[in-house]
Amino acid sequence: MKLKELESCLQQVDTFEEPKILLEQYPTSPHIAACMLYTIHSSFDDIEGKLVADLGCGCGVLSIGAAMLDAGLCVGFDIDEDALEIFRRNAEEFELSNVDLLQCDLCHLEVETYAQRFDTVIMNPPFGTKHNQDL
Amino acid sequence: MKLLTHNMLTSHVKGVTKGYPLLIKATEVKVNEVEFNPKFVCRMIPKLEWSTLVQAADQLGHREELPGELVPDYEKNEDFLKKVHRVLLEVEVIEGCLQCPESGREFPISKGIPNMLLNEDEA
């Protein structure tokens, strides 16, 4: 898949209906997502056939992109069920079978244990402007 | 929730020392077709807790012929890899819950998404 195609597909991804300010929710733009994923994929070969974690996945733009680039499996982690529901719908509409979703608080996970299992971690997380410093 | 994901999940309830593996109580399970990538399956196998995978598949009634222990030279055994592929990626829990083996706390699974969020007093 070419970069332009990927970007074009990601433009179809539904995003937050009502972004929650306290969670610092904002969608990753299709352009940034496509460029980022494309570089990870073509320069580093870290997506195709790999186990990918998307931390703070929100509506899943990055995960969907990774899945389209043939990640072995992309697991999205997020605290917000509304965002995950949108992600779930997106994955259904795009007919992607290589994604999995998990609702959790990343501050409460032992990140090292999970990090060891995954080949690649992608994220565009909250930056801590709204009391999210733990992240 | 796929079993590859389940294989990594632990309970982080306060005070729990062994929150793994989570018991699966499923009320709805689906099997979807996922493209078979033998290299990916091969690479995942060493990262897995094999007994957890077999136990989970058993709990879902999808163990089929998965062996209790890893067969040697599995890299070249396409039949075996296909069985693992099926259990890791194709079997999905849609509704049900995951239970912490130590505290008994149940984490619900709804529309395929497990909710591992802890209450304030559990974190």
Side-chain angles (χ1 to χ4, degrees):
Chain A
M1 186 182 278
K2 299 198 178 126
L3 174 57
K4 272 297 173 195
E5 279 173 72
L6 179 61
E7 182 175 336
S8 174
C9 288
L10 293 182
Q11 276 161 1
Q12 310 297 320
V13 173
D14 285 336
T15 59
F16 300 102
E17 278 155 18
E18 280 172 29
K20 294 176 182 135
I21 297 180
L22 284 178
L23 293 175
E24 279 182 67
Q25 290 180 335
Y26 62 93
T28 305
S29 83
H31 180 67
I32 291 179
C35 286
M36 182 178 144
L37 292 168
Y38 201 75
T39 303
I40 299 172
H41 167 60
S42 50
S43 304
F44 301 97
D45 190 23
D46 275 334
I47 300 208
E48 192 177 326
K50 300 290 196 294
L51 184 59
V52 181
D54 181 357
L55 302 184
C57 62
C59 302
V61 175
L62 291 177
S63 291
I64 289 176
M68 286 180 166
L69 291 173
D70 290 324
L73 179 68
C74 186
V75 184
F77 297 73
D78 204 282
I79 198 172
D80 180 27
E81 64 223 7
D82 295 324
L84 287 169
E85 172 57 25
I86 297 176
F87 183 170
R88 193 194 62 76
R89 262 180 9 221
N90 277 321
E92 222 171 62
E93 277 168 26
F94 281 83
E95 291 178 356
L96 295 168
S97 57
N98 52 342
V99 291
D100 212 0
L101 283 62
L102 187 69
Q103 181 176 13
C104 62
D105 185 341
L106 290 168
C107 303
H108 293 148
L109 288 185
E110 278 151 25
V111 189
E112 309 81 52
T113 348
Y114 289 91
Q116 274 164 30
R117 310 271 203 125
F118 285 94
D119 295 313
T120 305
V121 175
I122 53 180
M123 54 182 162
N124 184 9
F127 287 93
T129 61
K130 303 283 175 202
H131 313 293
N132 288 321
Q133 272 104 19
D134 291 335
L135 232 41
Chain B
M1 181 197 69
K2 295 178 196 262
L3 294 187
L4 176 50
T5 306
H6 166 262
N7 203 262
M8 299 186 259
L9 296 179
T10 326
S11 160
H12 292 276
V13 174
K14 193 161 64 179
V16 164
T17 46
K18 193 151 190 295
Y20 182 91
L22 295 168
L23 281 90
I24 311 181
K25 296 183 184 177
T27 50
E28 191 186 328
V29 178
K30 260 199 205 154
V31 181
N32 300 310
E33 208 179 291
V34 178
E35 202 178 309
F36 175 52
N37 181 340
K39 273 203 272 189
F40 177 69
V41 178
C42 260
R43 279 193 322 102
M44 291 301 109
I45 290 175
K47 299 191 197 213
L48 298 171
E49 288 292 339
W50 185 256
S51 53
T52 299
L53 180 68
V54 176
Q55 196 182 76
D58 221 2
Q59 279 164 14
L60 297 181
H62 279 276
R63 180 177 170 172
E64 309 213 334
E65 290 148 32
L66 213 59
E69 267 168 42
L70 273 178
V71 303
D73 279 338
Y74 58 76
E75 297 93 343
K76 309 202 178 91
N77 189 336
E78 192 165 290
D79 250 359
F80 174 72
L81 292 178
K82 280 203 175 137
K83 288 191 187 131
V84 179
H85 165 82
R86 188 174 180 279
V87 162
L88 277 183
L89 296 172
E90 295 190 328
V91 175
E92 281 191 56
V93 180
I94 307 295
E95 301 287 331
C97 69
L98 296 171
Q99 188 175 43
C100 171
E102 195 175 306
S103 67
R105 179 6 170 143
E106 287 186 351
F107 299 93
I109 303 177
S110 170
K111 297 190 195 173
I113 307 175
N115 179 352
M116 307 297 295
L117 291 178
L118 298 170
N119 301 322
E120 260 177 52
D121 52 327
E122 292 171 316

